[in-house]
């Protein structure tokens, strides 16, 4: 009977607990697998720190935000005690036969390397940014869009009262999916995403035309958006554990520029981690549960080096290589489709 260790790594995401529940319930019921959870992502695997996971410990979990296992941005190769050799020893000591890594791009890259180094590992894709090419949607994204849409609705009422331009910044490092979807849902007058450059003149023209017809402009900007004179995305908070710049604050750069150029009083709101917190939507709970269940099939079939993914309405499996080949960014025609009604 196989013992499987589950870990959640990288930024958390509504739906992680539903994945864990789906995996434990199906793994136990259908395959007789046993589970433990590694605490705080790769750190728990490197240090051999685990919690028991069984049917009773995942009871009622699918609606709970966050992750009962904890997470971190520690990489399995960056920690001095990490590396495949040490990890293999930890797995041996704990008598764990396989690892399920639930995470985004950084986690999948690390898992790919561990697989190449001989570790029995499979994956479940996760990111609110929805930027993993292997899967049509990642759980957490729908929840983030709901939260951002509600923020837009709320900003619009206060913006209307004061006749201000409101700028909302949402997450989206490489891809503007959250900005695009919430911006469309909330009826934003301009949506700015990392994939598509827009000049300050153009953004000001949209804002002014909204104001000229007596409305209060609503601009949604993804954290990874760059104005043409910016060499890289706005970052003033150093690097994260995967050596990526911590983004955030481009709305605060943009708002004073818009106010100065258009003469319209402008306020910026950075939505931040509110987008990642709280209970997942029904859609995300279903997707996360299905992925969690499906990853136990991968373990049962020893499909190491693969992750489960959503294609259309089917859960499929893809190799880490394929999953990591490209970011799933917003296609230009999908942006242009909505851009024609900006302003
Ligand atoms: O990668 C997902 C993400 O939500 C990004 O959009 C954002 O830049 C990052 O995580 C923030 O991470 P942290 O929780 O480390 O601040």
């Amino acid at each position: 009977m196989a013992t499987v260790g589950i870990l959640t790594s990288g930024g958390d995401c509504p739906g992680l607990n539903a994945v864990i529940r789906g995996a434990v319930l199906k793994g136990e019921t259908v395959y007789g697998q046993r589970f433990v959870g590694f605490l705080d992502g790769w750190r728990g695997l490197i240090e051999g720190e685990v919690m028991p996971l069984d049917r009773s410990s995942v009871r009622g979990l699918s609606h709970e935000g966050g992750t009962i296992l904890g997470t971190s941005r520690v990489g399995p190769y960056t920690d001095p005690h990490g590396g495949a050799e040490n990890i293999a020893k930890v797995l041996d000591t704990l008598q764990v036969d396989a690892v399920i890594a639930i995470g985004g791009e950084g986690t999948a890259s690390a898992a790919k390397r561990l697989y190449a180094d001989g570790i029995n590992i499979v994956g479940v894709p996760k990111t609110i940014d929805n930027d993993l090419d292997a899967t049509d949607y990642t759980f957490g994204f729908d929840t983030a869009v709901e939260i951002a849409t509600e923020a837009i609705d709320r900003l619009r009422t206060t913006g209307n009262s004061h006749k201000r331009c409101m700028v909302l910044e949402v997450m989206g490092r490489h891809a503007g999916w959250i900005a695009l979807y919430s911006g469309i849902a909330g009826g934003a007058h301009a949506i700015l995403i990392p994939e598509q450059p827009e000049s300050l003149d153009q953004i000001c023209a949209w804002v002014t035309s909204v104001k000229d017809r007596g409305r209060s402009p609503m601009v949604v900007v993804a954290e990874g958006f760059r104005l043409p004179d910016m060499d890289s995305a706005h970052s003033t908070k150093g690097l994260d554990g995967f050596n990526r710049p911590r983004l955030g604050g481009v709305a605060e750069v943009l708002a004073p520029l818009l106010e100065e150029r258009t003469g319209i009083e402008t306020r910026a709101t950075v939505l931040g981690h509110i987008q990642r917190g709280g209970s997942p939507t029904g859609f995300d709970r279903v997707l996360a549960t299905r992925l969690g269940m499906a990853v136990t099939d991968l373990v049962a079939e020893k499909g190491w080096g693969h992750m489960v993914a959503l294609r259309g309405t089917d859960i499929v499996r893809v190799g880490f290589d394929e999953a990591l080949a490209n970011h799933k960014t917003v296609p230009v025609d999908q942006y242009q489709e909505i851009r024609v009604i900006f302003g």
Side-chain angles (χ1 to χ4, degrees):
M1 188 191 297
T3 299
V4 186
I6 303 183
L7 64 85
T8 51
S9 169
D12 75 340
C13 186
L16 286 169
N17 283 327
V19 176
I20 297 165
R21 175 179 169 274
V24 171
L25 293 189
K26 180 168 179 185
E28 269 192 17
T29 310
V30 177
Y31 296 114
Q33 294 161 347
R34 288 214 195 103
F35 292 88
V36 292
F38 293 108
L39 301 186
D40 304 334
W42 301 111
R43 189 197 66 74
L45 177 52
I46 293 164
E47 295 175 14
E49 209 181 328
V50 290
M51 65 178 268
L53 274 182
D54 59 12
R55 194 173 187 107
S56 65
S57 48
V58 300
R59 188 185 293 153
L61 261 195
S62 57
H63 68 99
E64 276 185 31
T67 160
I68 57 163
L69 301 178
T71 186
S72 65
R73 291 203 191 271
V74 170
Y77 286 91
T78 45
D79 187 283
H81 303 293
E85 212 176 303
N86 290 333
I87 285 174
K89 279 188 202 146
V90 172
L91 292 174
D92 203 38
T93 308
L94 295 171
Q95 298 190 306
V96 170
D97 307 296
V99 177
I100 296 175
I102 312 172
E105 185 201 357
T107 307
S109 312
K112 177 181 154 188
R113 191 166 161 198
L114 285 172
Y115 164 64
D117 287 345
I119 304 292
N120 297 343
I121 188 163
V122 292
V124 178
K126 166 248 56 160
T127 162
I128 63 162
D129 291 1
N130 199 37
D131 60 355
L132 287 174
D133 200 28
T135 182
D136 287 353
Y137 286 100
T138 37
F139 62 85
F141 169 64
D142 187 62
T143 308
V145 169
E146 280 299 316
I147 295 167
T149 303
E150 190 194 337
I152 295 170
D153 294 347
R154 289 177 185 277
L155 287 172
R156 290 190 73 157
T157 63
T158 171
N160 288 339
S161 307
H162 289 267
K163 299 177 180 53
R164 286 172 175 156
C165 170
M166 305 304 275
V167 181
L168 174 68
E169 177 181 317
V170 296
M171 284 185 173
R173 170 174 290 272
H174 307 289
W177 291 109
I178 299 175
L180 185 74
Y181 273 50
S182 63
I184 295 173
H189 300 109
I191 301 169
L192 308 172
I193 61 174
E195 300 89 329
Q196 299 297 326
E198 296 289 1
S199 69
L200 192 54
D201 285 347
Q202 175 61 80
I203 305 165
C204 289
W206 285 324
V207 165
T208 304
S209 88
V210 177
K211 182 75 174 175
D212 287 350
R213 50 171 210 279
R215 306 283 315 278
S216 299
M218 179 74 228
V219 176
V220 179
V221 60
E223 62 182 358
F225 172 75
R226 287 179 292 151
L227 284 163
D229 64 349
M230 292 166 68
D231 293 335
S232 53
H234 186 72
S235 167
T236 55
K237 297 168 204 144
L239 302 178
D240 69 16
F242 291 149
N243 277 331
R244 305 177 314 173
R246 287 204 177 92
L247 303 188
V250 67
E252 280 153 356
V253 173
L254 193 58
L257 292 173
L258 295 180
E259 181 166 301
E260 187 191 310
R261 295 264 194 124
T262 64
I264 302 167
E265 193 182 8
T266 303
R267 293 283 191 271
T269 301
V270 179
L271 194 54
H273 294 81
I274 298 270
Q275 287 156 100
R276 294 219 313 245
S279 204
T281 58
F283 179 89
D284 281 338
R285 293 181 205 186
V286 171
L287 177 57
T289 303
R290 291 183 72 202
L291 291 172
M293 291 173 66
V295 80
T296 65
D297 302 335
L298 262 184
V299 172
E301 291 160 32
K302 300 190 184 346
W304 319 129
H306 288 80
M307 66 201 305
V308 286
L310 181 73
R311 288 270 163 79
T313 54
D314 294 331
I315 304 292
V316 299
R317 53 188 65 177
V318 287
F320 285 138
D321 274 339
E322 191 193 333
L324 288 163
N326 295 302
H327 280 122
K328 187 180 66 208
T329 50
V330 175
V332 66
D333 53 345
Q334 211 167 325
Y335 182 70
Q336 291 299 337
E337 182 185 80
I338 194 71
R339 188 179 184 272
V340 296
I341 61 165
F342 286 177

